[in-house]
Amino acid sequence: MTTALTRPDRPRQLDDHDHDHDQRTHRHPLDEFVSDPSDLTPICDERRFAAILEEMVADEAPRLFAVVQEYGDRVDGRIAAWGMAFADHAEVVSVTRGLRMSLHAPDDALRLYKFGSHIRARLVWFNPDAATPIDDDDEAA
């Protein structure tokens, strides 16, 4: 005797009940460490919440700086590393991909980038207003 399995011509549409069941049965393993916020009321609408998050990021953003190596007395210079200064520490990344550091303060990076008596290191804090303006002619090239 041969039996045929019946299949619908198209997949069954999921309803809200299926979604709720799927959420309960397929929980992420880390969910047991975090309270489920799905029953809580949002504190505001999406537009205001996005503004609150934007303000939070602006208030807590780290300051960006570069560690610059100077050759001689203003003869030449190059950016050797980039850093972010947080309230309690600094993160520094070499431009040559070989070195990443977590330091107590941005100035702590300077001793690592001095080289002999001809190459000094200095911090230069990022100033967006100092960026070279882009000419319309430059964009077309």
Side-chain angles (χ1 to χ4, degrees):
M1 180 161 123
T2 305
T3 59
L5 296 176
T6 57
R7 248 183 355 186
D9 293 339
R10 59 190 160 152
R12 185 173 70 86
Q13 296 293 334
L14 295 178
D15 59 20
D16 289 340
H17 179 288
D18 292 327
H19 178 72
D20 291 343
H21 175 73
D22 188 53
Q23 292 288 70
R24 285 191 305 270
T25 58
H26 294 23
R27 291 176 45 113
H28 191 282
L30 296 177
D31 284 349
E32 73 179 77
F33 300 104
V34 179
S35 299
D36 183 356
S38 60
D39 291 334
L40 300 175
T41 305
I43 60 173
C44 55
D45 64 13
E46 173 58 32
R47 186 177 190 177
R48 176 66 186 132
F49 192 68
I52 290 169
L53 294 178
E54 186 176 31
E55 290 168 7
M56 179 178 65
V57 169
D59 290 344
E60 305 218 9
R63 290 187 61 205
L64 185 63
F65 63 91
V67 178
V68 176
Q69 290 179 314
E70 293 180 63
Y71 174 68
D73 185 16
R74 298 182 314 271
V75 174
D76 200 2
R78 76 174 195 98
I79 297 172
W82 285 98
M84 293 186 296
F86 295 89
D88 62 346
H89 74 287
E91 298 292 326
V92 178
V93 179
S94 169
V95 297
T96 59
R97 298 185 188 184
L99 183 62
R100 289 189 165 93
M101 299 174 278
S102 184
L103 305 165
H104 290 288
D107 289 338
D108 294 343
L110 296 179
R111 64 185 171 86
L112 301 168
Y113 288 95
K114 289 191 286 187
F115 191 81
S117 58
H118 300 297
I119 297 177
R120 297 186 314 263
R122 78 158 71 178
L123 290 183
V124 177
W125 294 95
F126 174 65
N127 174 3
D129 296 330
T132 306
I134 297 174
D135 273 346
D136 290 339
D137 294 339
D138 291 342
E139 287 180 3

